[in-house]
Amino acid sequence: MRFDVITLFPELFEPFARVGVTRRAFESRAVDVRLWPLRDHADDTYRRVDDRPFGGGPGMVMMVEPLVKAMAAIRADQAAAGHERTPVILFSPAGRPLTQARVEALAHSPGAVLVCGRYEGIDQRFIDGHIDEEISLGDYVLSGGELPALTLMDAVARLQPGVLHDAASHQQDSFSDGLLDCPHYSRPEVLALPDELAMPGVECAVPPVLMSGHHAHIARWRREQQLAITRARRPELIDQARAAGRLSKQDEQFLKTLL
Ligand code: SAH
């Protein structure tokens, strides 16, 4: 799959190409990321890409023409590479909130063009002419669409086959079955800290069921932890899981005990 990213700040993407899961994804070519610096498509000698808003008001607006030219360059490149036209996503607080379901759908798609806004946002005519979908990271305002683009590509990259060291690990993540994740523990089995590092009120031993070697009991404990945490923190996700038929009779019985 490929992501074509239109951005004023391509250098923000470099560290992610060098480290961790995103590096493995990008290097493996499972995710082909191409950066399209918007300034390359500005036509006056000042390489201007933003201008004052008509009607007045604070801030600057990203101009429509450089964006249209960048899109044309991307379409030409996709055609030359024999790659199909991918949908165009704009990051915006006015978009639909990003969900794991959307990430999974994208992970199984040919990719997308990602448009990173800056300043007050982009000229509406580019949105009307080219944008297929607007995605928000949440109800707060960032200074640019680059972190949202990196967020989306990170979430998609870790779902690519062979990119995570343990292929099963993302099947256990929060949201993969509509519920939040259970707690995790590793060595030591019983924590013995010197007084000055003590954590009052924290149980020093790992929950015994995890040491039992009994796989069915462990799976049940984890499922119940997921249900209890999700019920306490994000009750609407329980309703959604129920509506999607993802709760078993046993799950429902356990949820009743929480009331
Ligand atoms: N004036 C705009 C905010 C512009 S912030 C408004 O009030 O809606 C500049 C850019 O940052 C936006 O164009 C968008 O690409 C990005 N951005 C800011 N907050 C975002 C969010 N919550 N989700 C996705 N993108 C966001």
Side-chain angles (χ1 to χ4, degrees), residues 91-93 116-121 135-138 140-145 148:
F91 295 103
S92 161
C116 305
R118 279 272 158 179
Y119 316 119
E120 287 307 309
I135 290 181
S136 168
L137 278 208
Y140 44 81
V141 180
L142 299 163
S143 51

Side-chain angles (χ1 to χ4, degrees), residues 51-111:
D51 208 338
R52 314 248 308 271
F54 283 130
M60 300 298 267
V61 174
M62 285 170 73
M63 298 164 80
V64 56
E65 287 158 299
L67 287 163
V68 169
K69 287 176 187 161
M71 270 313 304
I74 291 170
R75 291 308 188 204
D77 191 71
Q78 289 181 335
H83 197 281
E84 65 191 273
R85 288 165 68 92
T86 51
V88 187
I89 293 172
L90 171 67
F91 295 103
S92 161
R96 239 183 228 272
L98 184 59
T99 61
Q100 187 66 14
R102 187 73 195 93
V103 166
E104 276 166 23
L106 270 168
H108 294 105
S109 82

Side-chain angles (χ1 to χ4, degrees), residues 128-205:
D128 296 343
H130 284 279
I131 299 299
D132 297 305
E133 179 182 1
E134 294 186 40
I135 290 181
S136 168
L137 278 208
D139 291 341
Y140 44 81
V141 180
L142 299 163
S143 51
E146 285 76 13
L147 289 173
L150 284 163
T151 301
L152 179 80
M153 290 192 290
D154 180 297
V156 167
R158 60 196 296 291
L159 297 181
Q160 299 303 314
V163 165
L164 288 190
H165 286 309
D166 182 348
S169 79
H170 66 69
Q171 287 160 17
Q172 262 200 29
D173 290 331
S174 288
F175 309 114
S176 66
D177 61 357
L179 300 176
L180 301 179
D181 200 5
C182 62
H184 301 282
Y185 295 88
S186 184
R187 289 197 298 174
E189 187 179 338
V190 178
L191 185 60
L193 289 173
D195 285 348
E196 67 274 20
L197 299 180
M199 302 183 287
V202 173
E203 175 58 56
C204 291

